[in-house]
Amino acid sequence: MMDHLVLGAMMFGTTTDEERAFAILDRFVDAGGRWIDTANCYAFWADPSGFGGQSEALLGRWLASRPGVRDRVAISTKVGCEPLEAGRFPETAEGLAPQTIKNGIEGSLRRLGTDRVEMYWAHKDFRRTDVDETVAAFGELVAAGLVDRLGCSNFAAWRLERFRRAAADAGVPGFTAVQQHHTYLHPRPDTRPTVVHRFGFLNDELVSYVESHDDVAIWSYTPLLSGAYTRADKPLAPEYAHPGTTRRLAALDAVAAETGATRNQVVLAWLTGARPAVAPIVGPSTVAQLDEAIEAMSLSLTAAQRSLLDSAA
């Protein structure tokens, strides 16, 4: 089950210092973890420079200091959201023009100290970018052996289909994974998220699309709502302020009590055991937080428990 858990390295090298980040990475690999997720823009908002690259650079130092570990992990990184001017995001986000994609992978590989990444994501959709040109640029990276697979994050379902159709028509690899914000709680319908990208929610259209396309996987970012399930100092975002949240939290607490697990662990088990399955990206800042997530991978919900969780609305 550890293949289903993705380690998010977003804050490594900024708010999570090198010593703690290395300890988390070591523990993840020792527990059998494989996927590590980052981006070229992480974490520009947490660095005085106003630009990203700190997470990839730290991962590069970790990989270099652990002989043999590169063959045990799969690296996932992204292009599209690095600001071109410090302090001006999203208006100066780099976008997905072909040269940007080429420069993006070159910079990521240099910082990571590797010759390839196993997953490369379009971090955000840019409607003014030519689809055929973007598809061709991503396809060239796969052909060159720099990237194994391609994915898109924060895309609407119809845009995902448009990009995949363009790739199929051009005879080049297309997106085979979507990365969206998804968790157990439901946001109010038609709300614009306050802490994620506009099209960042995993909605019914995207789920239906994945259900009808066996070659597309779902990854979920911020599945634990940045600690809001378990920490009083981390309030829920406004889009979760509705009666359905109260009912779903009650169901979550009932299952947690039955299993002896934490809310976080039940949420992770619910995600990984879903149909279609979801790979949650967890971003721990301590080894103890990571251990909680690792333990959740051995939690198997019964049909009755899953029904209780699913029916609460």
Side-chain angles (χ1 to χ4, degrees):
M1 287 295 290
M2 281 299 293
D3 272 353
H4 296 285
L5 187 69
V6 181
L7 178 63
M10 182 169 68
M11 305 312 299
F12 289 0
T14 50
T15 59
T16 302
D17 63 36
E18 189 151 318
E19 182 178 2
R20 284 189 295 145
F22 276 31
I24 291 167
L25 288 159
D26 289 342
R27 173 65 181 127
F28 183 69
V29 172
D30 288 345
R34 180 169 178 260
W35 281 102
I36 302 170
D37 183 72
T38 186
N40 67 334
C41 68
Y42 292 163
F44 68 82
W45 59 94
D47 191 85
S49 72
F51 297 102
Q54 298 82 12
S55 174
E56 289 180 332
L58 182 144
L59 288 173
R61 293 191 294 273
W62 175 73
L63 291 170
S65 67
R66 305 294 193 265
V69 77
R70 181 64 184 93
D71 294 332
R72 298 171 61 190
V73 299
I75 304 296
S76 155
T77 193
K78 313 177 190 74
V79 64
C81 286
E82 171 72 348
L84 299 178
E85 296 181 30
R88 296 190 62 205
F89 181 88
E91 62 268 30
T92 71
E94 62 187 344
L96 296 174
Q99 191 60 47
T100 300
I101 293 169
K102 181 178 184 294
N103 292 344
I105 194 64
E106 290 175 352
S108 289
L109 294 178
R110 182 178 63 253
R111 286 185 291 272
L112 290 164
T114 187
D115 61 356
R116 75 193 191 284
V117 293
E118 283 73 15
M119 182 78 82
Y120 199 46
W121 303 85
H123 203 163
K124 179 179 179 291
D125 193 8
F126 291 86
R127 299 290 175 86
R128 289 178 288 183
T129 301
D130 184 89
V131 171
D132 292 333
E133 291 182 359
T134 296
V135 162
F138 276 120
E140 288 175 5
L141 302 186
V142 179
L146 304 178
V147 173
D148 290 347
R149 288 177 59 192
L150 300 168
C152 64
S153 183
N154 307 301
F155 272 54
W158 71 272
R159 289 286 287 176
L160 167 61
E161 170 59 18
R162 182 171 178 184
F163 273 79
R164 279 169 52 88
R165 175 51 52 196
D169 291 345
V172 300
F175 297 141
T176 60
V178 295
Q179 186 177 141
Q180 306 289 120
H181 175 46
H182 183 49
T183 185
Y184 174 61
L185 294 183
H186 291 157
R188 289 195 315 275
D190 299 322
T191 52
R192 182 166 182 170
T194 55
V195 294
V196 299
H197 298 281
R198 180 179 179 185
F199 297 101
F201 286 131
L202 180 69
N203 55 28
D204 291 342
E205 286 185 357
L206 273 166
V207 171
S208 295
Y209 186 91
V210 172
E211 288 175 334
S212 60
H213 294 80
D214 293 339
D215 63 331
V216 182
I218 301 175
W219 291 29
S220 165
Y221 65 79
T222 325
L224 301 180
L225 298 176
S226 302
Y229 280 111
T230 57
R231 293 177 53 177
D233 62 325
K234 297 280 188 176
L236 289 168
E239 55 263 30
Y240 297 104
H242 59 85
T245 291
T246 301
R247 291 189 287 270
R248 284 180 83 80
L249 286 177
L252 190 63
D253 286 337
V255 174
E258 283 185 9
T259 58
T262 66
R263 278 183 174 181
N264 285 343
Q265 289 171 330
V266 175
V267 170
L268 294 175
W270 178 80
L271 289 167
T272 55
R275 294 293 180 270
V278 176
I281 305 170
V282 296
S285 57
T286 66
V287 171
Q289 290 173 352
L290 175 60
D291 283 340
E292 181 185 25
I294 291 170
E295 291 168 7
M297 294 301 97
S298 60
L299 175 61
S300 180
L301 301 177
T302 66
Q305 289 166 344
R306 185 165 290 278
S307 177
L308 175 62
L309 292 168
D310 291 343
S311 62

